[in-house]
Amino acid sequence: AQSVSQHNHHVILSEAASLELGCNYSYGGTVNLFWYVQYPGQHLQLLLKYFSGDPLVKGIKGFEAEFIKSKFSFNLRKPSVQWSDTAEYFCAVNARGNFNKFYFGSGTKLNVKP
Amino acid sequence: EAQVTQNPRYLITVTGKKLTVTCSQNMNHEYMSWYRQDPGLGLRQIYYSMNVEVTDKGDVPEGYKVSRKEKRNFPLILESPSPNQTSLYFCASSRRQGSYEQYFGPGTRLTVT
């Protein structure tokens, strides 16, 4: 079975600091990659996704992620975080063979101090 | 407004008492899925459905049932709930299979005593 690892469980940053959240997956074939965000009291919503093409993808609210196939990684970045970025972030993957099955990481809680 | 709705939002029940959590979407999506979220484990897929009358198991299907008789609805059934099914449950839908963005419901917090 596939697995997704998010090594940072809890990150605390001050406003304007740069953010990088790690995500590694275990499948060696073709994958689709996603980052979802869950703001306090809200639904999960899609931040960005990678299917193919340019490995650097840009999402909403200034987030971006880079797919590095050789490292099985899809790290999320933001150059300057805001207090409103406080949320839990989930990396997810599905894979060729069965795109209907999704695998999520355990999540990273980000607290941004004003 | 495009949305996925779940009911109830909160439920406390006792071991063995059958329950159903409803999920409905108004976006005419073919694909629907159920997840449970537990601390430190993230979201784990329980069941998914590719279309009406087509369902399949996710990673953690034991103790759950689903049905998809109509395109908009995808109820999750716990025939004999146990305390280890205490969790936060999310329903999601998307246009087709997993290459598309999933839209999530607000979640149902279930406690089984």
Side-chain angles (χ1 to χ4, degrees):
Chain A
Q2 330 304 334
S3 68
V4 179
S5 299
Q6 292 181 243
H7 306 294
N8 315 103
H9 298 296
H10 197 180
V11 174
I12 301 173
L13 295 172
S14 297
E15 275 193 316
S18 64
L19 170 72
E20 179 158 4
L21 301 182
C23 173
N24 289 89
Y25 62 94
S26 66
Y27 185 70
T30 301
V31 294
N32 297 326
L33 296 151
F34 306 82
W35 275 98
Y36 281 86
V37 61
Q38 188 175 30
Y39 297 104
Q42 294 190 26
H43 306 191
L44 275 93
Q45 56 186 282
L46 183 70
L47 263 184
L48 47 78
K49 61 190 177 190
Y50 173 80
F51 293 159
S52 63
D54 188 344
L56 185 63
V57 293
K58 296 191 184 300
I60 61 171
K61 306 189 181 186
F63 286 90
E64 64 179 32
E66 184 175 14
F67 170 52
I68 303 180
K69 190 174 183 179
S70 61
K71 295 185 178 180
F72 300 94
S73 71
F74 190 55
N75 292 353
L76 181 71
R77 300 196 291 246
K78 186 171 184 179
S80 176
V81 295
Q82 301 172 312
W83 176 79
S84 57
D85 294 324
T86 294
E88 190 161 16
Y89 294 81
F90 294 93
C91 181
V93 63
N94 61 6
R96 183 190 292 273
N98 191 350
F99 285 122
N100 294 302
K101 293 190 80 168
F102 276 83
Y103 299 90
F104 280 76
S106 55
T108 298
K109 287 187 178 177
L110 171 65
N111 282 331
V112 180
K113 297 185 294 184
Chain B
E1 180 191 355
Q3 59 182 351
V4 178
T5 56
Q6 295 179 227
N7 283 292
R9 295 288 313 280
Y10 302 90
L11 179 60
I12 301 174
T13 189
V14 296
T15 299
K17 186 176 181 181
K18 182 179 178 179
L19 66 92
T20 299
V21 183
T22 64
C23 172
S24 184
Q25 49 94 4
N26 62 1
M27 295 169 279
N28 201 35
H29 285 166
E30 287 88 358
Y31 178 90
M32 297 185 75
S33 184
W34 275 104
Y35 298 87
R36 59 178 290 173
Q37 182 181 9
D38 301 290
L41 298 177
L43 280 77
R44 292 178 292 167
Q45 194 171 30
I46 303 170
Y47 269 95
Y48 59 88
S49 169
M50 292 77 79
N51 214 323
V52 174
E53 302 290 6
V54 184
T55 63
D56 205 349
K57 296 177 182 178
D59 241 16
V60 288
E62 295 77 19
Y64 304 94
K65 283 177 57 176
V66 292
S67 68
R68 187 94 181 270
K69 292 183 168 51
E70 304 166 284
K71 197 172 187 180
R72 64 182 293 127
N73 297 323
F74 189 43
L76 180 69
I77 303 155
L78 285 73
E79 299 242 333
S80 184
S82 62
N84 65 12
Q85 292 178 299
T86 292
S87 188
L88 179 58
Y89 291 87
F90 288 101
C91 180
S93 72
S94 72
R95 277 173 50 201
R96 270 201 294 274
Q97 61 184 11
S99 299
Y100 294 87
E101 173 182 358
Q102 291 187 83
Y103 292 83
F104 283 82
T108 295
R109 188 166 293 281
L110 171 66
T111 303
V112 183
T113 61

